[in-house]
mmCIF file with all atom_site columns, all heavy atoms in Angstrom:
data_model
loop_
_atom_site.group_PDB
_atom_site.id
_atom_site.type_symbol
_atom_site.label_atom_id
_atom_site.label_alt_id
_atom_site.label_comp_id
_atom_site.label_asym_id
_atom_site.label_entity_id
_atom_site.label_seq_id
_atom_site.pdbx_PDB_ins_code
_atom_site.Cartn_x
_atom_site.Cartn_y
_atom_site.Cartn_z
_atom_site.occupancy
_atom_site.B_iso_or_equiv
_atom_site.pdbx_formal_charge
_atom_site.auth_seq_id
_atom_site.auth_comp_id
_atom_site.auth_asym_id
_atom_site.auth_atom_id
_atom_site.pdbx_PDB_model_num
ATOM 1  N N   . THR A 1 7  ? 13.081 -8.944 -22.855 1.00 97.00 ? 1437 THR A N   1
ATOM 2  C CA  . THR A 1 7  ? 12.167 -7.814 -23.048 1.00 97.00 ? 1437 THR A CA  1
ATOM 3  C C   . THR A 1 7  ? 11.880 -7.112 -21.728 1.00 97.00 ? 1437 THR A C   1
ATOM 4  O O   . THR A 1 7  ? 11.894 -5.875 -21.652 1.00 97.00 ? 1437 THR A O   1
ATOM 5  C CB  . THR A 1 7  ? 10.850 -8.301 -23.680 1.00 97.00 ? 1437 THR A CB  1
ATOM 6  O OG1 . THR A 1 7  ? 11.153 -9.004 -24.886 1.00 97.00 ? 1437 THR A OG1 1
ATOM 7  C CG2 . THR A 1 7  ? 9.919  -7.148 -23.977 1.00 97.00 ? 1437 THR A CG2 1
ATOM 8  N N   . LEU A 1 8  ? 11.638 -7.879 -20.693 1.00 96.00 ? 1438 LEU A N   1
ATOM 9  C CA  . LEU A 1 8  ? 11.365 -7.321 -19.366 1.00 96.00 ? 1438 LEU A CA  1
ATOM 10 C C   . LEU A 1 8  ? 12.567 -6.542 -18.841 1.00 96.00 ? 1438 LEU A C   1
ATOM 11 O O   . LEU A 1 8  ? 12.429 -5.415 -18.352 1.00 96.00 ? 1438 LEU A O   1
ATOM 12 C CB  . LEU A 1 8  ? 11.009 -8.461 -18.409 1.00 96.00 ? 1438 LEU A CB  1
ATOM 13 C CG  . LEU A 1 8  ? 10.262 -8.134 -17.135 1.00 96.00 ? 1438 LEU A CG  1
ATOM 14 C CD1 . LEU A 1 8  ? 8.881  -7.580 -17.455 1.00 96.00 ? 1438 LEU A CD1 1
ATOM 15 C CD2 . LEU A 1 8  ? 10.127 -9.384 -16.284 1.00 96.00 ? 1438 LEU A CD2 1
ATOM 16 N N   . ARG A 1 9  ? 13.763 -7.129 -18.953 1.00 97.00 ? 1439 ARG A N   1
ATOM 17 C CA  . ARG A 1 9  ? 14.971 -6.465 -18.471 1.00 97.00 ? 1439 ARG A CA  1
ATOM 18 C C   . ARG A 1 9  ? 15.236 -5.159 -19.208 1.00 97.00 ? 1439 ARG A C   1
ATOM 19 O O   . ARG A 1 9  ? 15.503 -4.119 -18.589 1.00 97.00 ? 1439 ARG A O   1
ATOM 20 C CB  . ARG A 1 9  ? 16.198 -7.378 -18.651 1.00 97.00 ? 1439 ARG A CB  1
ATOM 21 C CG  . ARG A 1 9  ? 16.358 -8.438 -17.624 1.00 97.00 ? 1439 ARG A CG  1
ATOM 22 C CD  . ARG A 1 9  ? 17.703 -9.158 -17.722 1.00 97.00 ? 1439 ARG A CD  1
ATOM 23 N NE  . ARG A 1 9  ? 17.964 -9.778 -19.031 1.00 97.00 ? 1439 ARG A NE  1
ATOM 24 C CZ  . ARG A 1 9  ? 18.710 -9.245 -19.992 1.00 97.00 ? 1439 ARG A CZ  1
ATOM 25 N NH1 . ARG A 1 9  ? 19.281 -8.094 -19.841 1.00 97.00 ? 1439 ARG A NH1 1
ATOM 26 N NH2 . ARG A 1 9  ? 18.873 -9.889 -21.139 1.00 97.00 ? 1439 ARG A NH2 1
ATOM 27 N N   . ILE A 1 10 ? 15.167 -5.208 -20.526 1.00 98.00 ? 1440 ILE A N   1
ATOM 28 C CA  . ILE A 1 10 ? 15.455 -4.006 -21.310 1.00 98.00 ? 1440 ILE A CA  1
ATOM 29 C C   . ILE A 1 10 ? 14.397 -2.931 -21.072 1.00 98.00 ? 1440 ILE A C   1
ATOM 30 O O   . ILE A 1 10 ? 14.727 -1.762 -20.839 1.00 98.00 ? 1440 ILE A O   1
ATOM 31 C CB  . ILE A 1 10 ? 15.576 -4.347 -22.812 1.00 98.00 ? 1440 ILE A CB  1
ATOM 32 C CG1 . ILE A 1 10 ? 16.854 -5.160 -23.055 1.00 98.00 ? 1440 ILE A CG1 1
ATOM 33 C CG2 . ILE A 1 10 ? 15.583 -3.073 -23.657 1.00 98.00 ? 1440 ILE A CG2 1
ATOM 34 C CD1 . ILE A 1 10 ? 17.001 -5.680 -24.468 1.00 98.00 ? 1440 ILE A CD1 1
ATOM 35 N N   . GLY A 1 11 ? 13.138 -3.325 -21.110 1.00 97.00 ? 1441 GLY A N   1
ATOM 36 C CA  . GLY A 1 11 ? 12.065 -2.346 -20.928 1.00 97.00 ? 1441 GLY A CA  1
ATOM 37 C C   . GLY A 1 11 ? 12.090 -1.675 -19.571 1.00 97.00 ? 1441 GLY A C   1
ATOM 38 O O   . GLY A 1 11 ? 12.093 -0.441 -19.471 1.00 97.00 ? 1441 GLY A O   1
ATOM 39 N N   . PHE A 1 12 ? 12.139 -2.466 -18.519 1.00 98.00 ? 1442 PHE A N   1
ATOM 40 C CA  . PHE A 1 12 ? 12.121 -1.890 -17.174 1.00 98.00 ? 1442 PHE A CA  1
ATOM 41 C C   . PHE A 1 12 ? 13.470 -1.276 -16.796 1.00 98.00 ? 1442 PHE A C   1
ATOM 42 O O   . PHE A 1 12 ? 13.516 -0.270 -16.095 1.00 98.00 ? 1442 PHE A O   1
ATOM 43 C CB  . PHE A 1 12 ? 11.678 -2.932 -16.140 1.00 98.00 ? 1442 PHE A CB  1
ATOM 44 C CG  . PHE A 1 12 ? 10.193 -3.065 -16.058 1.00 98.00 ? 1442 PHE A CG  1
ATOM 45 C CD1 . PHE A 1 12 ? 9.507  -3.920 -16.906 1.00 98.00 ? 1442 PHE A CD1 1
ATOM 46 C CD2 . PHE A 1 12 ? 9.462  -2.321 -15.156 1.00 98.00 ? 1442 PHE A CD2 1
ATOM 47 C CE1 . PHE A 1 12 ? 8.131  -4.032 -16.848 1.00 98.00 ? 1442 PHE A CE1 1
ATOM 48 C CE2 . PHE A 1 12 ? 8.091  -2.424 -15.087 1.00 98.00 ? 1442 PHE A CE2 1
ATOM 49 C CZ  . PHE A 1 12 ? 7.421  -3.280 -15.933 1.00 98.00 ? 1442 PHE A CZ  1
ATOM 50 N N   . GLY A 1 13 ? 14.555 -1.869 -17.257 1.00 98.00 ? 1443 GLY A N   1
ATOM 51 C CA  . GLY A 1 13 ? 15.876 -1.325 -16.936 1.00 98.00 ? 1443 GLY A CA  1
ATOM 52 C C   . GLY A 1 13 ? 16.105 0.031  -17.586 1.00 98.00 ? 1443 GLY A C   1
ATOM 53 O O   . GLY A 1 13 ? 16.461 1.005  -16.910 1.00 98.00 ? 1443 GLY A O   1
ATOM 54 N N   . LEU A 1 14 ? 15.892 0.106  -18.900 1.00 98.00 ? 1444 LEU A N   1
ATOM 55 C CA  . LEU A 1 14 ? 16.084 1.388  -19.580 1.00 98.00 ? 1444 LEU A CA  1
ATOM 56 C C   . LEU A 1 14 ? 15.043 2.406  -19.149 1.00 98.00 ? 1444 LEU A C   1
ATOM 57 O O   . LEU A 1 14 ? 15.342 3.594  -19.017 1.00 98.00 ? 1444 LEU A O   1
ATOM 58 C CB  . LEU A 1 14 ? 16.062 1.201  -21.098 1.00 98.00 ? 1444 LEU A CB  1
ATOM 59 C CG  . LEU A 1 14 ? 17.248 0.454  -21.697 1.00 98.00 ? 1444 LEU A CG  1
ATOM 60 C CD1 . LEU A 1 14 ? 17.107 0.356  -23.212 1.00 98.00 ? 1444 LEU A CD1 1
ATOM 61 C CD2 . LEU A 1 14 ? 18.567 1.104  -21.319 1.00 98.00 ? 1444 LEU A CD2 1
ATOM 62 N N   . GLY A 1 15 ? 13.823 1.941  -18.913 1.00 97.00 ? 1445 GLY A N   1
ATOM 63 C CA  . GLY A 1 15 ? 12.774 2.854  -18.446 1.00 97.00 ? 1445 GLY A CA  1
ATOM 64 C C   . GLY A 1 15 ? 13.118 3.464  -17.104 1.00 97.00 ? 1445 GLY A C   1
ATOM 65 O O   . GLY A 1 15 ? 12.983 4.675  -16.902 1.00 97.00 ? 1445 GLY A O   1
#
Side-chain angles (χ1 to χ4, degrees):
T1437 305
L1438 200 64
R1439 281 189 303 99
I1440 290 174
F1442 277 87
L1444 291 181

